[in-house]
Amino acid sequence: QVLLGTIDWKIVVADEAQFVKNPTASRTSALKALKAQQPIALTGTPVENGLLDFWCIMDFVHPGLLESWSDFRKQFERPLVQCSSEEERGPIVESLLSRLDPHYLRRMKEEVLRSLPKKHVIEDADIPLSPTQRDLYLESLAETKAGGRGAVLAGIGRLLRICAHGRIESGDWTNL
């Protein structure tokens, strides 16, 4: 890290930039210590955990563009979290996007994969377990309860697999 930090790079490309999401992490410090005329961040992963991730990546690409983390929180993050409707959120998002132009390019799935159907979200859907799944579920639940504290995490994994498809856990693939 020290040796690489002494080089005057023309370009530094941070691929998988979503891993640079914590300003206090060693990885982030090492990346930001590189001297680059043109830093670039690439990620195919949407910002998952919050605006801190986004701010951190943008602070690598263009330090100070979004001001300090504290200022960014006051101006954008807190107001966005407190919004109760898309109408309230719109002007804040537009203000943020206007500040980012031309430093932030985002391709939308609709632009790249036009043949994909529109996303359809079903909020709540009760799908009953098959009789085999139910038996496996109850058996696994009883084993988990009897196994004590150490068995709980393994039990949760088993229950999730049983709910996804009973044969994943039982290993019985004979009568598909």
Side-chain angles (χ1 to χ4, degrees):
Q1 177 182 346
V2 173
L3 177 63
L4 293 175
T6 63
I7 299 171
D8 291 325
W9 301 95
K10 290 188 180 187
I11 296 176
V12 171
V13 179
D15 193 11
E16 302 296 339
Q18 71 273 12
F19 292 113
V20 182
K21 58 185 177 184
N22 181 343
T24 61
S26 300
R27 181 181 303 183
T28 305
S29 298
L31 181 66
K32 288 184 176 186
L34 298 175
K35 297 183 287 182
Q37 291 177 18
Q38 182 60 62
I40 298 172
L42 303 172
T43 180
T45 305
V47 177
E48 297 170 344
N49 297 326
L51 287 173
L52 173 60
D53 302 9
F54 182 74
W55 176 87
C56 200
I57 292 168
M58 289 306 299
D59 197 54
F60 160 68
V61 172
H62 195 290
L65 178 69
L66 299 176
E67 302 177 31
S68 70
W69 169 236
S70 175
D71 292 337
F72 180 77
R73 287 188 76 199
K74 287 178 199 163
Q75 190 170 4
F76 296 106
E77 186 189 37
R78 286 187 187 130
L80 284 170
V81 169
Q82 293 169 352
C83 288
S84 59
S85 69
E86 285 302 315
E87 292 79 29
E88 289 180 63
R89 201 177 319 270
I92 301 166
V93 170
E94 286 303 316
S95 173
L96 176 58
L97 290 174
S98 69
R99 186 178 290 191
L100 295 172
D101 191 47
H103 304 287
Y104 177 70
L105 301 174
R106 181 176 182 208
R107 294 186 312 170
M108 303 299 281
K109 181 173 63 175
E110 299 83 31
E111 297 168 1
V112 181
L113 299 170
R114 290 190 178 98
S115 62
L116 287 178
K118 294 251 185 237
K119 180 177 177 180
H120 180 69
V121 177
I122 300 172
E123 292 297 324
D124 289 321
D126 291 330
I127 301 171
L129 296 175
S130 70
T132 304
Q133 279 178 298
R134 187 174 191 287
D135 292 344
L136 283 169
Y137 189 94
L138 293 173
E139 180 183 315
S140 183
L141 188 60
E143 288 173 10
T144 300
K145 286 180 180 178
R149 289 177 50 159
V152 172
L153 288 178
I156 291 171
R158 276 194 315 275
L159 294 173
L160 288 170
R161 289 188 297 275
I162 291 167
C163 289
H165 197 293
R167 291 184 180 153
I168 294 173
E169 187 61 26
S170 71
D172 177 14
W173 296 97
T174 54
N175 294 314
L176 298 176

